[in-house]
Amino acid sequence: MDLDGIAFDRRFGQPVVKDGCGVFGIIRKAGSPLIPSSVAINGISCIKYRGSDLGAGYAAFRTPEVPGGAPYKIQAFVTTETVANRIRGVLEESVGPVDGSRIRRVDKRRTDLVVWEANVTPRLEDSDEMVERTVDSVNSSLFRDGFEGRVFSYGRYLSVYKEVGFPSEVASMWGLDKEESGADMWLAHTRQPTNSPGSLPIWSHPFASMNTAIVHNGDISSYGSNMELLNSWGIKSHAGTDSEVIARLLDPLLRIDGLSISDAARVLTNPFERNITPDVRDLLYRYRGARLDGPFAVVAGYADGKDTYLVAMTDRSKFRPLLVGEDAEYFYVASEENQIRNRSKHAKIWTPEPGAF
């Protein structure tokens, strides 16, 4: 029903904003306490009305005690344990020994999809390329004869928790509301689907690529050209949503091509309408297939084993809301001010310029 132009969810009676999702990010400053999961849950649950029951999720980034020593943590949605064993076999053959393997029934209402998690210790020291290629091959095979599953996270320094449901429901499914696991950084998302279905959790945010994850509100109209670039890089297995390409572009720009955080964000935010230097113009031309267009507000996280980075990016017309906040211990990125104020009443809050990061 509608009341004075405000749409309400018929089942829960809450106001619903149908023009966008909700995003949240928080990162600790050096020397500040680790961030408990409850902060991420509260930061996104307070804008439940921005999303729907068709998807929510969280990403936790943790810097290892021994840099470079962490195994790859593999997380996959699978239809059967047989599919999980098949993934395990491919990883053991191509990458290295697999241990800590377990099946989790995250959503107790669902009978056709479970989560398989395991750690993979690579045989080779420089193994990112092999892991990326193996995961891409596995995901392609899982879509070949009908949907059998998808590896949705495979980094050393992050874990992803997502499902179909509202933010508090998804947090409960994964047990995040019961164990106060601390992290250097959290991303969180509540989803209002626009460009892909909401029936499976593979379309829920965050989307991860190696040690990069993103949450996104908006529509990427450059999706076609972005996909062409990814395919030319050999990245060919996709969940089929425009949000996913952001993570899959940002990861190789940083990890493989060695761009700085600023240059990678500059490419994605695509500031070609501004007065730019010749060096920036050359950068934008070189990575023209990676530039994003359309309305977007993106919160991205990246970890390299030594440090962790939180990035906020907006489109050139600022069609989607995004705020940045800071207090003595943390930095924040959010769709709405109350997400930050609920945690830090006196935080300094400002709005990024259009087309900025």
Side-chain angles (χ1 to χ4, degrees):
M1 63 179 176
D2 290 331
L3 179 63
D4 295 331
I6 301 176
F8 284 81
D9 187 298
R10 293 180 181 275
R11 290 164 299 168
F12 300 99
Q14 67 179 32
V16 175
V17 180
K18 290 295 184 183
D19 65 343
C21 308
V23 298
F24 180 71
I26 177 172
I27 187 171
R28 72 186 183 105
K29 295 182 178 181
S32 297
L34 291 172
I35 306 163
S37 54
S38 59
V39 173
I41 298 170
N42 295 335
I44 198 66
S45 294
C46 69
I47 56 164
K48 173 182 175 182
Y49 52 82
R50 291 197 65 86
S52 68
D53 62 350
L54 294 176
Y58 306 85
F61 291 76
R62 301 176 181 90
T63 302
E65 294 182 4
V66 181
Y72 294 90
K73 180 175 182 180
I74 309 296
Q75 297 175 280
F77 290 112
V78 296
T79 51
T80 65
E81 189 169 350
T82 301
V83 174
N85 289 333
R86 199 166 84 223
I87 299 173
R88 175 175 183 154
V90 174
L91 289 168
E92 286 183 328
E93 180 180 352
S94 301
V95 182
V98 175
D99 60 22
S101 175
R102 66 168 175 167
I103 293 285
R104 299 176 60 168
R105 188 169 296 281
V106 174
D107 187 349
K108 302 300 191 296
R109 304 165 301 181
R110 190 189 301 279
T111 59
D112 61 341
L113 212 58
V114 295
V115 173
W116 177 68
E117 295 178 320
N119 295 323
V120 181
T121 302
R123 283 184 287 267
L124 301 177
E125 184 174 340
D126 188 9
S127 52
D128 282 359
E129 182 181 354
M130 178 59 71
V131 172
E132 178 72 53
R133 189 162 61 242
T134 301
V135 168
D136 205 55
S137 174
V138 165
N139 280 339
S140 294
S141 71
L142 295 177
F143 270 92
R144 190 167 295 140
D145 301 313
F147 176 75
E148 293 185 291
R150 184 166 183 85
V151 176
F152 61 89
S153 181
Y154 50 96
R156 291 177 184 263
Y157 315 121
L158 82 159
S159 300
V160 174
Y161 314 94
K162 63 181 183 178
E163 247 294 349
V164 174
F166 285 109
S168 57
E169 295 172 333
V170 171
S172 179
M173 291 175 192
W174 284 91
L176 297 178
D177 59 337
K178 296 181 177 63
E179 52 183 61
E180 286 288 344
S181 52
D184 298 306
M185 175 171 63
W186 285 90
L187 307 183
H189 188 266
T190 182
R191 182 169 183 249
Q192 187 61 254
T194 54
N195 284 323
S196 56
S199 56
L200 291 175
I202 64 168
W203 294 302
S204 297
H205 300 219
F207 288 100
S209 183
M210 198 62 73
N211 299 306
T212 299
I214 68 97
V215 291
H216 165 231
N217 173 22
D219 298 279
I220 303 301
S221 60
S222 56
Y223 177 71
S225 61
N226 299 149
M227 286 285 286
E228 285 187 11
L229 179 61
L230 290 173
N231 290 333
S232 74
W233 286 347
I235 304 172
K236 298 184 177 181
S237 175
H238 309 283
T241 171
D242 60 336
S243 301
E244 182 190 36
V245 302
I246 306 170
R248 307 205 82 183
L249 289 167
L250 184 57
D251 168 45
L253 289 176
L254 295 170
R255 180 174 54 86
I256 299 175
D257 285 18
L259 267 63
S260 67
I261 297 286
S262 295
D263 279 347
R266 190 171 286 112
V267 167
L268 295 181
T269 52
N270 190 12
F272 73 85
E273 292 177 344
R274 296 189 168 193
N275 293 324
I276 56 178
T277 65
D279 287 346
V280 172
R281 187 178 295 108
D282 291 344
L283 180 72
L284 295 178
Y285 181 77
R286 177 184 175 191
Y287 293 104
R288 54 195 179 279
R291 300 186 319 208
L292 302 179
D293 200 6
F296 62 82
V298 177
V299 185
Y302 171 67
D304 60 9
K306 300 176 183 178
D307 210 343
T308 308
Y309 305 86
L310 178 64
V311 185
M313 294 179 280
T314 68
D315 66 74
R316 297 190 306 275
S317 298
K318 197 72 182 292
F319 281 126
R320 294 293 184 267
L322 200 67
L323 299 168
V324 178
E326 179 187 7
D327 60 20
E329 295 181 319
Y330 305 106
F331 283 101
Y332 308 83
V333 183
S335 295
E336 300 188 21
E337 185 172 347
N338 65 318
Q339 295 173 266
I340 302 173
R341 293 287 181 216
N342 287 348
R343 168 68 187 178
S344 183
K345 183 178 179 181
H346 300 293
K348 175 186 176 184
I349 296 177
W350 67 95
T351 304
E353 292 292 323
F357 57 91

